[in-house]
Amino acid sequence: KFFFFSSRRRHTRCSGVSWARRCVQETGINAEYMGIMTQNTGSGSQRSAKDRFLDTIQPFVIGGLSGMTATAVIQPIDTVKVRIQLISEEMGASGKKQSLNPITIAKHIISSEGPTALYKGLDSALMRQATYATARLGIYKTMVNKIKAKQNKTEITLFEKVYASLIAGFIGSLIGNPSDLILVRMQADGLSPPDQRRNYKNFFNAFARIIREEGVTTLWRGSTPTVLRAMSVNLGTLAPYDEAKDCLLYTSDAADDLLCVDLGGRRIIKKKK
């Protein structure tokens, strides 16, 4: 109950330099740290156009890089997942039985197509994150900051976070759908008979061939479930994460046994030893 209605019970909290100063007063952080904070955290009117521009693009850049890094790590798992889904569909149509064990599927891919097949479509996956993750995370953070600035407050309600997350997921998924479609096609190509394989060389080759052979609108084929999925993911991750973080700060700001540190624009709460 507290989680959902905490937005109605907000108290005014400081931000920036004043927030750091309060932490110094409450926890006794050394004065040198406070000097660094006051030097690096200026008011909006004192900050240069370059700093404001960097603040604007920061959530987009961080969102895209984090998504691309994660994709580079989990790409083999994602390839196995897509193969399992496609094999399940074939089993349902043909009635044939086949093992759907992920390890068995991975071994089969390696033995029949080589280890690099697990990373097939990696360029499309990275491009997908460079578009989808960059857009959805950047748009969400930008909308949240705009709402805060428009209403002249440091926090927004849970409803406003939900609204921002849904809009960001909608726009991000439309931007990322072409990359998503190419990624699935490249991952599934190995299951097709040799004479029916598309054999895309890379993302850009696939992109150009789809437009030339099937039309530009094909890039948004299947966009409806993609949009619904993206909006659901954003709704289930971004808004609850921000709300949980605000609730944590609400309940622990005044605690004497907490050390408050402003690191890279994030508030980190850590127990004092």
Side-chain angles (χ1 to χ4, degrees):
K1 183 177 180 181
F2 169 78
F3 178 83
F4 288 106
F5 292 97
S6 60
S7 56
R8 298 184 181 181
R9 301 173 53 194
R10 307 286 188 199
H11 65 290
T12 302
R13 291 205 298 269
C14 302
S15 60
V17 176
S18 57
W19 180 83
R21 184 178 291 110
R22 192 187 68 191
C23 288
V24 170
Q25 293 170 349
E26 292 181 355
T27 61
I29 297 177
N30 132 2
E32 286 184 35
Y33 175 77
M34 188 60 224
I36 294 173
M37 289 299 303
T38 54
Q39 181 180 357
N40 293 335
T41 317
S43 65
S45 59
Q46 295 173 333
R47 304 179 71 236
S48 66
K50 179 182 177 181
D51 289 336
R52 291 195 296 271
F53 172 73
L54 291 176
D55 281 348
T56 301
I57 67 170
Q58 183 185 41
F60 291 91
V61 173
I62 292 177
L65 289 177
S66 61
M68 293 172 73
T69 302
T71 292
V73 174
I74 68 165
Q75 178 66 10
I77 300 174
D78 195 51
T79 299
V80 172
K81 179 206 74 173
V82 171
R83 290 293 181 92
I84 290 174
Q85 291 173 332
L86 293 172
I87 291 172
S88 299
E89 186 177 338
E90 286 184 357
M91 287 171 56
S94 64
K96 288 168 131 187
K97 295 294 181 182
Q98 185 176 341
S99 174
L100 295 178
N101 184 288
I103 297 177
T104 303
I105 298 294
K107 286 181 178 179
H108 176 73
I109 293 173
I110 293 172
S111 63
S112 61
E113 303 173 50
T116 56
L118 291 172
Y119 281 91
K120 196 166 188 179
L122 178 60
D123 55 344
S124 299
L126 293 175
M127 186 62 71
R128 175 182 181 272
Q129 293 300 333
T131 52
Y132 168 65
T134 298
R136 80 179 183 95
L137 296 174
I139 291 171
Y140 172 76
K141 203 63 184 177
T142 300
M143 288 185 66
V144 168
N145 291 338
K146 291 290 186 184
I147 294 172
K148 288 179 180 178
K150 184 177 180 180
Q151 300 179 2
N152 194 25
K153 58 184 182 181
T154 58
E155 295 174 9
I156 62 175
T157 65
L158 177 59
F159 173 78
E160 290 168 328
K161 292 170 188 171
V162 167
Y163 167 76
S165 67
L166 291 174
I167 295 297
F170 175 79
I171 298 175
S173 61
L174 288 179
I175 294 173
N177 197 80
S179 302
D180 209 19
L181 179 137
I182 294 171
L183 170 62
V184 172
R185 285 192 175 190
M186 294 182 76
Q187 289 177 326
D189 213 30
L191 287 177
S192 303
D195 60 331
Q196 296 180 18
R197 292 177 184 174
R198 296 182 174 93
N199 294 319
Y200 295 135
K201 296 178 182 179
N202 51 52
F203 172 82
F204 298 103
N205 174 257
F207 190 85
R209 280 182 54 188
I210 290 172
I211 293 176
R212 185 173 63 251
E213 297 170 8
E214 304 175 57
V216 68
T217 56
T218 303
L219 292 170
W220 280 271
R221 183 177 293 168
S223 59
T224 300
T226 302
V227 167
L228 293 176
R229 175 186 176 276
M231 293 176 70
S232 301
V233 168
N234 265 22
L235 178 61
T237 54
L238 299 183
Y241 168 77
D242 270 356
E243 185 69 10
K245 184 178 68 175
D246 287 344
C247 289
L248 176 63
L249 292 170
Y250 180 89
T251 58
S252 53
D253 267 355
D256 293 331
D257 64 336
L258 295 175
L259 174 63
C260 303
V261 181
D262 193 326
L263 179 61
R266 293 281 186 180
R267 296 179 186 178
I268 299 175
I269 308 299
K270 182 179 179 182
K271 285 282 184 181
K272 287 175 66 178
K273 294 183 179 178

